[in-house]
């Protein structure tokens, strides 16, 4: 393995001093200490130093750091730094430390148990793990705690599969030896312990242990053993309630395959139902955590047995009733969320024809659930009916309540599917009428009594909106006349009413008689000073314009006056929503009116734009200008008339007038990135919306994109270029061949500019440019493969992509990898442009790609493998392994050789020659034969190898040595 600098030595005093520095407030010193301790944890010295600290230090923090470091060493460095003959001595040392730390501190004891478990996994000659640990630790109370901790962590560590130095076969064998072969003995140990004393029978550690081993022991064994009584007794004991309830929930989840566990479920059901009195008892005791735990038990049982509940609804009805009771008694609204998944899963079955009988029997359950939900949706009450801050300024609690309500809304939708929308809306209607009867006459301009009981059904109605069909006419015609009378003096009520109107716009479009009063309610709401009401009104306004655009067409002139009047008082997001709304209405007007309407709506926007551009001298003013450009883009997106080929497009005619203004703004403010991005976005949508009709603007647009990129070096100009490349590609109809030729020449000029910049600046300074460049190249490769692949730019583009893989940012690396993966397909029989028939040119393309890979493939493999092992963000791993798979499919022997060379360049001490040899042998084994599945298995091999390496590797401060990426140079 390659050397990567001189070895550093570490002493106990220096390590402890670095830890002390970590507590100081000096940020620079702390950074130095973090780097030092990180290097220490990877060093050979860490073995003796950590054990010395554990033997001699009395500082709990130092002990925990040492135990954690020792765990890391055993996990990642055992195979490379400790010889097999030294393993028994290391085991004895850990057992001795465990005995010393048996009384505590618990965090250190647990870490040492993890150390011993990981050692046991890798020390394959140690066959009597359990007897050795039990006999060595002894039989006193402290040792019991230690043994229980070890028993708990052993299955967790084994099933995590820490195969640092083990092959898959060895790991499978070790798993069987440590878990399956010991399962019966462990159950007996736990039974003996549970029966040893009353304290042992309610020890939370016991239940944690049972939970851990439930992965390995058949659940029926636990249910039919004395341990089941211990678990149920533990749920009734305050000290062990949480751990025992968690264990019981896991037991229920282990019976999820109901057909395989019918007897076990029948044995469990009555035992679980015995716990129902605990619901009321825990509520009476105000034990919130205990109530959550018992609710979770019933929810776990319900979710696990939901299929058999649907089959036998009568027999399992008591369990469903337990869940209803938990929902109803949840005063703090902390536990009800555990039941939501159950109601959803049960709904999934009950809405199938096969379970119609169960649906009939359980429909009243969902009816009760809706009643409970309507109560639980209510805001907290206050003595002052005008008090809208009901959480005493606690914004976190308020946000939590809002989020909870939205989850509850999903459960209301489930109820709609079981009961039918009409039944649910009738409950909403009744709740609104009840409030009107009791409190409606007491409402004034300044006060609305008990508004919470009116707001809750409004929220519920909003949540159900998606379930209502546009042609439904059962209850809604009775509800909407009531809603437009909702008192506007209460902000919460007004907000709720506006949101309901916005949610039911599709229904309103089908029932136009109800449009005017609702729309006027929304429009009048823009006169408020409340930001929340303005935002709600803007959103509802947009939905009305989108869904009722045809109905609002007759008001298009009046709408413009309203739009112009309210625009400046709105926050940015609301400006965008209102603008998008009116753009939809303009978009459905007669084609002959569109030019005039665009001038009517957009000329005032352009006037504002010019004023803002002339006064945009600071960051705030420039951002405001950038946001205003976005408003024009909505009209570009939604005012898209259908015009026959060769006829003048009225929208394009208007945008030709606006284009010089946008160009001037860009020329003057090209140093401000958001303005570049918004202008490019606007131009990009012009191309996407009007496609070939944008031809009259094509020349000046291409010039501005080229000038803009050369001046600003911003990737957004490449992003806009890609739209032109797509819309005017060779296979488009109604595109003149000379235009296609000019577009490709324009692309090559843009690509040359990018390559020059990438040659001048390192990739780390150009992440956005690199991302947009390779997104553009993906399109170029797809639409112009026969021009790009044989071109002189093809090789430097590929070299630049390889250098980009050294970045540690996901977006540019992903873009480069996607381009490379697409490129590799042109070296084989299934190119990315699969719909194209290249004819004889296909053979030439394959030859060019293979020649490129023969000359540049080693650099690609080295950088991709280095990325997967060291530098790639996690989301890039799959594409990285996809590149390597593509290389193996095209050049298997060469790629195997390049991978072997790369692995042997790894920094010294991070990989043994034996591990490199083992990887190479596995790759060669998979390459033998002609089965393509074997090549795909190499991808899995490399993913496992790089994941393993990555877990134990920290990049050294002096760089990556021979794996450092080569700097890209371009002479064009």
């Amino acid at each position: 393995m390659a050397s990567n600098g001189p070895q550093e030595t570490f002493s106990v005093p220096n390590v402890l001093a670095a830890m002390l520095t970590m507590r100081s407030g000096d940020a620079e010193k702390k950074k130095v200490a973090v780097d030092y301790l990180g290097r220490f944890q990877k060093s050979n010295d860490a073995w003796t130093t950590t054990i010395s600290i554990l033997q001699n230090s009395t500082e709990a923090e130092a002990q925990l750091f040492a135990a954690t470091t020792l765990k890391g060493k055993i996990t990642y460095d055992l195979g490379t730094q400790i010889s097999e003959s030294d393993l028994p001595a290391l085991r004895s040392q850990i057992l001795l430390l465990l005995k010393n730390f048996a009384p505590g501190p618990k965090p250190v004891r647990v870490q040492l148990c993890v150390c011993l478990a990981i050692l046991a996994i890798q020390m394959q000659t140690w066959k009597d793990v359990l007897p050795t640990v039990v006999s060595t630790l002894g039989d006193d109370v402290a040792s019991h705690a230690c043994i229980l901790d070890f028993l708990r962590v052993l299955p967790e560590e084994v099933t995590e599969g820490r195969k640092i130095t083990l092959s898959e076969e060895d790991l499978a064998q070790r798993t069987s030896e440590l878990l399956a072969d010991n399962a019966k003995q462990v159950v007996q140990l736990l039974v003996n312990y549970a029966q040893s004393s009353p304290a042992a029978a309610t020890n939370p550690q016991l239940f944690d242990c049972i939970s851990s081993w439930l992965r390995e022991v058949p659940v029926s064994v636990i249910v039919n053993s004395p341990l089941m009584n211990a678990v149920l007794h533990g749920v009734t004991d305050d000290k062990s309630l949480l751990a025992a309830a968690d264990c019981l929930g896991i037991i229920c989840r282990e019976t999820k395959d109901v057909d395989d566990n019918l007897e076990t479920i029948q044995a469990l059901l009555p035992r679980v139902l015995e716990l129902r009195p605990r619901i009321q008892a825990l509520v009476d005791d105000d034990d919130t955590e205990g109530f959550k735990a018992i609710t979770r038990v019933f929810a776990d049982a319900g979710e696990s047995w939901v299929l058999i509940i649907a089959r036998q609804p009568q027999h399992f009805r008591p369990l469903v009733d337990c869940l209803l009771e938990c929902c109803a008694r949840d005063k703090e609204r902390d536990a009800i969320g555990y039941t939501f998944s159950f109601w959803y899963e049960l709904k999934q079955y009950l809405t199938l024809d096969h379970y119609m009988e169960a649906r009939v029997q359980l429909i009243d359950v969902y009816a009760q659930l809706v009643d409970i939900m309507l109560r639980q949706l209510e805001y907290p009450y206050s003595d002052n009916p005008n008090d809208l801050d009901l959480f005493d300024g606690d914004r976190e609690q308020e946000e939590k309540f809002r989020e909870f309500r939205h989850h509850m809304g999903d459960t209301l939708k489930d109820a709609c599917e079981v009961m039918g929308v009409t039944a649910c809306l009738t409950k909403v209607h009744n709740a609104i009428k009840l409030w009107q009867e009791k409190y409606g006459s007491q409402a004034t301009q300044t006060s609305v009594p008990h508004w919470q009981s009116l707001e809750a059904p409004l929220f519920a109605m909003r949540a159900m909106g998606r379930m209502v069909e546009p042609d439904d006419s059962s209850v809604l015609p009775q509800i909407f006349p009531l809603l437009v009378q909702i008192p506007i003096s209460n902000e919460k009520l007004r907000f709720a009413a506006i949101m309901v109107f916005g949610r039911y716009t599709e229904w309103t479009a089908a029932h136009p008689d109800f449009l005017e009063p609702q729309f006027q309610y929304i429009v009048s709401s823009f006169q408020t000073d409340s930001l929340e009401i303005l935002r709600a009104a803007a959103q509802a306004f947009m939905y009305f314009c989108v869904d009722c655009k045809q109905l609002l067409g007759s008001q298009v002139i009046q709408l413009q006056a309203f739009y112009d009047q309210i625009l400046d008082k709105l926050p940015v997001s609301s400006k965008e929503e209102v603008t998008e709304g009116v753009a939809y209405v303009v978009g459905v007007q007669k084609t002959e009116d569109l030019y005039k309407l665009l001038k009517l709506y957009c000329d005032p926007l352009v006037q504002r734009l010019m004023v803002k551009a002339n006064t945009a001298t600071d960051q705030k003013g420039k951002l405001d200008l950038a946001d205003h450009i976005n408003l024009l883009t909505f009209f570009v997106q939604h005012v898209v008339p259908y015009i026959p080929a060769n006829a003048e497009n009225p929208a394009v005619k208007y945008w030709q007038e606006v284009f010089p203004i946008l160009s001037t703004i860009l020329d003057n403010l090209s140093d401000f990135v958001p303005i570049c991005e918004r202008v490019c976005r606007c131009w990009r949508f012009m191309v996407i919306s009007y496609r070939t009709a944008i031809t009259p603007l094509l020349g000046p647009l291409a010039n501005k994109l080229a000038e803009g990129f050369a001046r600003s070096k911003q990737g957004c100009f490449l992003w806009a270029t890609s739209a032109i490349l797509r819309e005017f590609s060779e296979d488009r109809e109604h595109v003149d061949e000379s235009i296609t030729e000019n577009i490709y020449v324009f692309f090559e000029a843009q690509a040359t500019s990018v390559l020059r910049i990438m040659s001048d600046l390192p990739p780390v300074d150009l992440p956005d440019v690199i991302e947009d460049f390779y997104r553009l190249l993906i399109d170029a490769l797809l639409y112009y493969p026969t021009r790009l692949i044989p071109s002189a730019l093809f090789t430097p583009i590929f070299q630049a992509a390889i250098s980009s893989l050294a970045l540690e940012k996901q977006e540019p690396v992903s873009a480069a990898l996607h381009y490379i993966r697409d490129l590799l397909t042109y070296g084989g029989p299934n190119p990315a442009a699969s719909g194209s028939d290249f004819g004889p040119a296909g053979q030439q393309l394959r030859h060019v790609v293979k020649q490129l890979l023969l000359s540049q493939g080693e650099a690609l493999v080295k950088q991709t493998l280095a990325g997967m092992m060291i530098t790639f963000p996690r989301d890039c791993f799959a594409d990285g392994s996809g590149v390597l798979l593509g290389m193996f499919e095209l050049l298997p022997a060469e790629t195997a050789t390049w991978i072997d060379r790369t692995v042997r360049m790894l920094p010294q001490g991070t990989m043994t020659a034996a591990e490199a040899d083992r990887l190479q042998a596995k790759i060669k084994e998979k390459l033998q034969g002609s089965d393509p599945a074997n090549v795909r298995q190499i991808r899995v091999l490399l993913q496992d190898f790089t994941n393993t390496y990555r877990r134990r590797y920290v990049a050294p401060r002096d760089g990556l040595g021979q794996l450092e990426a080569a700097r890209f140079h371009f002479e064009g």
Side-chain angles (χ1 to χ4, degrees), residues 269-282:
L269 178 62
R271 309 300 300 273
V272 171
L273 293 177
E274 287 170 10
L275 299 173
R276 184 169 184 177
R278 288 289 280 160
I279 300 173
Q280 181 65 57
L282 291 164

PDB file of all heavy atoms in Angstrom, residues 269-282:
ATOM      1  N   LEU A 269     -53.751 -12.239  22.482  1.00  0.00           N
ATOM      2  CA  LEU A 269     -54.865 -11.291  22.479  1.00  0.00           C
ATOM      3  C   LEU A 269     -55.474 -11.065  23.862  1.00  0.00           C
ATOM      4  O   LEU A 269     -55.571  -9.914  24.310  1.00  0.00           O
ATOM      5  CB  LEU A 269     -55.934 -11.735  21.475  1.00  0.00           C
ATOM      6  CG  LEU A 269     -57.181 -10.841  21.413  1.00  0.00           C
ATOM      7  CD1 LEU A 269     -56.820  -9.430  20.972  1.00  0.00           C
ATOM      8  CD2 LEU A 269     -58.239 -11.441  20.475  1.00  0.00           C
ATOM      9  N   PRO A 270     -55.888 -12.115  24.577  1.00  0.00           N
ATOM     10  CA  PRO A 270     -56.482 -11.856  25.900  1.00  0.00           C
ATOM     11  C   PRO A 270     -55.503 -11.216  26.880  1.00  0.00           C
ATOM     12  O   PRO A 270     -55.900 -10.407  27.723  1.00  0.00           O
ATOM     13  CB  PRO A 270     -56.926 -13.247  26.373  1.00  0.00           C
ATOM     14  CG  PRO A 270     -56.177 -14.224  25.525  1.00  0.00           C
ATOM     15  CD  PRO A 270     -55.930 -13.550  24.234  1.00  0.00           C
ATOM     16  N   ARG A 271     -54.214 -11.548  26.739  1.00  0.00           N
ATOM     17  CA  ARG A 271     -53.211 -10.977  27.653  1.00  0.00           C
ATOM     18  C   ARG A 271     -53.059  -9.477  27.399  1.00  0.00           C
ATOM     19  O   ARG A 271     -52.899  -8.680  28.325  1.00  0.00           O
ATOM     20  CB  ARG A 271     -51.841 -11.668  27.483  1.00  0.00           C
ATOM     21  CG  ARG A 271     -51.857 -13.189  27.540  1.00  0.00           C
ATOM     22  CD  ARG A 271     -52.391 -13.729  28.863  1.00  0.00           C
ATOM     23  NE  ARG A 271     -51.626 -13.300  30.008  1.00  0.00           N
ATOM     24  CZ  ARG A 271     -50.527 -13.936  30.477  1.00  0.00           C
ATOM     25  NH1 ARG A 271     -50.077 -15.025  29.852  1.00  0.00           N
ATOM     26  NH2 ARG A 271     -49.915 -13.501  31.558  1.00  0.00           N
ATOM     27  N   VAL A 272     -53.095  -9.095  26.115  1.00  0.00           N
ATOM     28  CA  VAL A 272     -52.993  -7.675  25.765  1.00  0.00           C
ATOM     29  C   VAL A 272     -54.240  -6.926  26.231  1.00  0.00           C
ATOM     30  O   VAL A 272     -54.158  -5.816  26.775  1.00  0.00           O
ATOM     31  CB  VAL A 272     -52.786  -7.504  24.238  1.00  0.00           C
ATOM     32  CG1 VAL A 272     -52.900  -6.036  23.835  1.00  0.00           C
ATOM     33  CG2 VAL A 272     -51.416  -8.047  23.824  1.00  0.00           C
ATOM     34  N   LEU A 273     -55.412  -7.538  26.038  1.00  0.00           N
ATOM     35  CA  LEU A 273     -56.658  -6.882  26.439  1.00  0.00           C
ATOM     36  C   LEU A 273     -56.753  -6.685  27.951  1.00  0.00           C
ATOM     37  O   LEU A 273     -57.441  -5.765  28.425  1.00  0.00           O
ATOM     38  CB  LEU A 273     -57.865  -7.680  25.941  1.00  0.00           C
ATOM     39  CG  LEU A 273     -58.054  -7.735  24.420  1.00  0.00           C
ATOM     40  CD1 LEU A 273     -59.238  -8.618  24.046  1.00  0.00           C
ATOM     41  CD2 LEU A 273     -58.248  -6.330  23.848  1.00  0.00           C
ATOM     42  N   GLU A 274     -56.060  -7.530  28.720  1.00  0.00           N
ATOM     43  CA  GLU A 274     -56.042  -7.363  30.179  1.00  0.00           C
ATOM     44  C   GLU A 274     -55.449  -6.013  30.590  1.00  0.00           C
ATOM     45  O   GLU A 274     -55.664  -5.540  31.707  1.00  0.00           O
ATOM     46  CB  GLU A 274     -55.233  -8.489  30.834  1.00  0.00           C
ATOM     47  CG  GLU A 274     -55.931  -9.849  30.833  1.00  0.00           C
ATOM     48  CD  GLU A 274     -54.979 -10.963  31.270  1.00  0.00           C
ATOM     49  OE1 GLU A 274     -53.852 -10.634  31.749  1.00  0.00           O
ATOM     50  OE2 GLU A 274     -55.326 -12.151  31.130  1.00  0.00           O
ATOM     51  N   LEU A 275     -54.694  -5.411  29.684  1.00  0.00           N
ATOM     52  CA  LEU A 275     -54.030  -4.146  30.016  1.00  0.00           C
ATOM     53  C   LEU A 275     -54.946  -2.940  29.834  1.00  0.00           C
ATOM     54  O   LEU A 275     -54.546  -1.816  30.156  1.00  0.00           O
ATOM     55  CB  LEU A 275     -52.786  -3.968  29.127  1.00  0.00           C
ATOM     56  CG  LEU A 275     -51.703  -5.040  29.268  1.00  0.00           C
ATOM     57  CD1 LEU A 275     -50.623  -4.830  28.212  1.00  0.00           C
ATOM     58  CD2 LEU A 275     -51.086  -5.012  30.653  1.00  0.00           C
ATOM     59  N   ARG A 276     -56.173  -3.130  29.345  1.00  0.00           N
ATOM     60  CA  ARG A 276     -57.045  -1.982  29.061  1.00  0.00           C
ATOM     61  C   ARG A 276     -57.277  -1.080  30.278  1.00  0.00           C
ATOM     62  O   ARG A 276     -57.283   0.158  30.130  1.00  0.00           O
ATOM     63  CB  ARG A 276     -58.376  -2.460  28.486  1.00  0.00           C
ATOM     64  CG  ARG A 276     -59.271  -1.283  28.079  1.00  0.00           C
ATOM     65  CD  ARG A 276     -60.476  -1.695  27.266  1.00  0.00           C
ATOM     66  NE  ARG A 276     -61.237  -0.533  26.831  1.00  0.00           N
ATOM     67  CZ  ARG A 276     -62.304  -0.579  26.055  1.00  0.00           C
ATOM     68  NH1 ARG A 276     -62.745  -1.747  25.605  1.00  0.00           N
ATOM     69  NH2 ARG A 276     -62.940   0.536  25.701  1.00  0.00           N
ATOM     70  N   PRO A 277     -57.465  -1.620  31.495  1.00  0.00           N
ATOM     71  CA  PRO A 277     -57.657  -0.719  32.648  1.00  0.00           C
ATOM     72  C   PRO A 277     -56.486   0.241  32.877  1.00  0.00           C
ATOM     73  O   PRO A 277     -56.645   1.291  33.494  1.00  0.00           O
ATOM     74  CB  PRO A 277     -57.828  -1.687  33.828  1.00  0.00           C
ATOM     75  CG  PRO A 277     -58.318  -2.960  33.203  1.00  0.00           C
ATOM     76  CD  PRO A 277     -57.654  -3.032  31.873  1.00  0.00           C
ATOM     77  N   ARG A 278     -55.302  -0.141  32.373  1.00  0.00           N
ATOM     78  CA  ARG A 278     -54.129   0.734  32.542  1.00  0.00           C
ATOM     79  C   ARG A 278     -54.315   2.061  31.810  1.00  0.00           C
ATOM     80  O   ARG A 278     -53.711   3.071  32.178  1.00  0.00           O
ATOM     81  CB  ARG A 278     -52.865   0.049  32.026  1.00  0.00           C
ATOM     82  CG  ARG A 278     -52.348  -1.092  32.877  1.00  0.00           C
ATOM     83  CD  ARG A 278     -51.749  -0.592  34.170  1.00  0.00           C
ATOM     84  NE  ARG A 278     -50.385  -0.093  34.013  1.00  0.00           N
ATOM     85  CZ  ARG A 278     -49.774   0.718  34.863  1.00  0.00           C
ATOM     86  NH1 ARG A 278     -50.421   1.156  35.922  1.00  0.00           N
ATOM     87  NH2 ARG A 278     -48.538   1.111  34.667  1.00  0.00           N
ATOM     88  N   ILE A 279     -55.132   2.080  30.755  1.00  0.00           N
ATOM     89  CA  ILE A 279     -55.342   3.320  29.998  1.00  0.00           C
ATOM     90  C   ILE A 279     -55.885   4.396  30.932  1.00  0.00           C
ATOM     91  O   ILE A 279     -55.304   5.486  31.077  1.00  0.00           O
ATOM     92  CB  ILE A 279     -56.310   3.089  28.819  1.00  0.00           C
ATOM     93  CG1 ILE A 279     -55.760   2.036  27.855  1.00  0.00           C
ATOM     94  CG2 ILE A 279     -56.557   4.407  28.077  1.00  0.00           C
ATOM     95  CD1 ILE A 279     -56.751   1.635  26.760  1.00  0.00           C
ATOM     96  N   GLN A 280     -57.023   4.087  31.586  1.00  0.00           N
ATOM     97  CA  GLN A 280     -57.651   5.059  32.484  1.00  0.00           C
ATOM     98  C   GLN A 280     -56.745   5.380  33.668  1.00  0.00           C
ATOM     99  O   GLN A 280     -56.626   6.539  34.077  1.00  0.00           O
ATOM    100  CB  GLN A 280     -58.986   4.512  32.985  1.00  0.00           C
ATOM    101  CG  GLN A 280     -59.744   5.455  33.921  1.00  0.00           C
ATOM    102  CD  GLN A 280     -60.189   6.726  33.214  1.00  0.00           C
ATOM    103  OE1 GLN A 280     -60.894   6.661  32.216  1.00  0.00           O
ATOM    104  NE2 GLN A 280     -59.778   7.888  33.706  1.00  0.00           N
ATOM    105  N   ALA A 281     -56.073   4.334  34.210  1.00  0.00           N
ATOM    106  CA  ALA A 281     -55.221   4.542  35.389  1.00  0.00           C
ATOM    107  C   ALA A 281     -54.088   5.510  35.086  1.00  0.00           C
ATOM    108  O   ALA A 281     -53.779   6.406  35.895  1.00  0.00           O
ATOM    109  CB  ALA A 281     -54.661   3.196  35.869  1.00  0.00           C
ATOM    110  N   LEU A 282     -53.464   5.364  33.935  1.00  0.00           N
ATOM    111  CA  LEU A 282     -52.349   6.238  33.572  1.00  0.00           C
ATOM    112  C   LEU A 282     -52.827   7.659  33.299  1.00  0.00           C
ATOM    113  O   LEU A 282     -52.123   8.629  33.595  1.00  0.00           O
ATOM    114  CB  LEU A 282     -51.614   5.673  32.348  1.00  0.00           C
ATOM    115  CG  LEU A 282     -50.833   4.377  32.617  1.00  0.00           C
ATOM    116  CD1 LEU A 282     -50.473   3.680  31.310  1.00  0.00           C
ATOM    117  CD2 LEU A 282     -49.570   4.669  33.419  1.00  0.00           C
TER     118      LEU A 282
END
